[in-house]
């Protein structure tokens, strides 16, 4: 697979005020080059996925297929097994996870999460705890403040109200990414908690920090600077395994 197609970000930084960092990696998938995307589909997808992919138009379904294939490839590499042995399952909360046999292999409770927006896909993997990731392309919305009022915290709404144009759109995308990544890590999902879960962002100057939920649960937040994709914003949230009753 072309190195220009897949960018590996640094591991989740250590936050001085947060929990111990999990070994967590963010992979970004550049889908702007149609020829390279086709090459990736050929190398990573199963025969059935390739058949479906060839019939798809560029868009969310095609991106989802590639991201799922990338998940299998990366997890198989980490575990030292063949991609055909990797099974991805969905639980009652529809949150995809690695099958139990491989998730606990070598006492590493592997977890992953996937997001995609327009021409950018994102995959976050951690070796313990739970991880959520979201990536969003910056775009102006006529009802931006209405959406913000219904879904974001009062402090975030106030911050957005002081901005306009592309600055507001970029900040909205960042707030949304942090909130969605948090909800994906908890398993609540966007529709299950976007407007009902209080999430407070606490960041340092480098974009690292914490998210604090209304129930007192605290997660580590990373908002990486996507220098190759300035029109996007992203967030990764890691929650300790103890938050879910795991050891």
């Amino acid at each position: 697979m072309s190195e220009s197609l897949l960018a590996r970000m640094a591991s989740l930084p250590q936050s001085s005020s947060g929990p111990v960092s999990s070994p967590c990696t963010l992979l970004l998938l550049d889908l702007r080059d149609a020829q390279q995307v086709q090459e990736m589909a050929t190398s990573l997808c199963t025969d059935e996925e390739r058949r479906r992919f060839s019939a798809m138009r560029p868009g969310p379904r095609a991106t989802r297929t590639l991201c799922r294939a990338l998940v299998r490839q990366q997890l198989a590499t980490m575990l030292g097994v063949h991609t055909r042995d990797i099974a991805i399952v969905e639980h009652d909360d529809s949150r995809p996870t690695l099958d139990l046999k491989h998730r606990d292999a070598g006492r590493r409770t592997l977890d992953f999460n996937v997001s995609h927006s327009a021409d950018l896909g994102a995959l976050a993997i951690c070796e313990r705890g739970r991880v959520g990731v979201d990536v969003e392309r910056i775009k102006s919305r006529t009802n931006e403040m209405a959406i913000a009022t219904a879904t974001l915290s009062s402090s975030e709404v106030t911050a957005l109200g002081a901005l306009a144009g592309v600055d507001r759109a970029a900040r909205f995308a960042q707030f949304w990414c942090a909130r969605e990544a948090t909800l994906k890590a908890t398993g609540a999902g966007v529709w299950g908690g976007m407007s009902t879960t209080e999430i407070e962002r606490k960041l340092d100057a480098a974009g690292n920090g914490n998210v604090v939920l209304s129930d007192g649960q605290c997660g580590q937040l990373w908002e990486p600077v996507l220098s190759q994709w300035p029109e996007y914003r992203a967030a990764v949230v890691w929650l300790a395994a103890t938050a879910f009753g795991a050891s």
Side-chain angles (χ1 to χ4, degrees), residues 218-231:
C218 182
Q220 191 170 338
L221 171 64
W222 177 26
E223 296 184 345
V225 176
L226 307 183
S227 55
Q228 297 181 58
W229 301 274
E231 69 274 27

Side-chain angles (χ1 to χ4, degrees), residues 143-156:
N143 59 343
E144 203 163 59
M145 290 307 297
I147 297 174
T149 301
T151 59
L152 303 182
S153 69
S154 57
S155 60
E156 290 171 335

Side-chain angles (χ1 to χ4, degrees), residues 28-43:
L28 297 173
L29 189 61
D30 190 339
L31 302 172
R32 291 173 292 192
D33 188 313
Q35 181 176 348
Q36 289 189 339
V37 168
Q38 185 59 54
E39 290 174 359
M40 178 184 174
T42 300
S43 64

Side-chain angles (χ1 to χ4, degrees), residues 185-246:
T186 64
V190 178
W191 306 118
M194 183 60 79
S195 61
T196 59
T197 304
E198 284 293 325
I199 299 172
E200 181 182 359
R201 295 162 69 252
K202 295 182 178 180
L203 295 176
D204 59 23
N208 311 319
N210 303 316
V211 287
V212 182
L213 281 67
S214 53
D215 61 2
Q217 194 174 165
C218 182
Q220 191 170 338
L221 171 64
W222 177 26
E223 296 184 345
V225 176
L226 307 183
S227 55
Q228 297 181 58
W229 301 274
E231 69 274 27
Y232 290 87
R233 293 293 183 268
V236 179
V237 170
W238 175 75
L239 299 175
T242 53
F244 305 95

Side-chain angles (χ1 to χ4, degrees), residues 111-126:
D111 191 51
F112 70 89
N113 201 238
V114 174
S115 178
H116 51 84
S117 179
D119 296 322
L120 186 63
L123 164 63
I125 302 176
C126 69

Side-chain angles (χ1 to χ4, degrees), residues 82-93:
H82 196 281
T83 53
R84 66 170 173 265
D85 296 326
I86 295 293
I88 296 173
V89 297
E90 292 189 1
H91 300 286
D92 292 340
D93 60 7

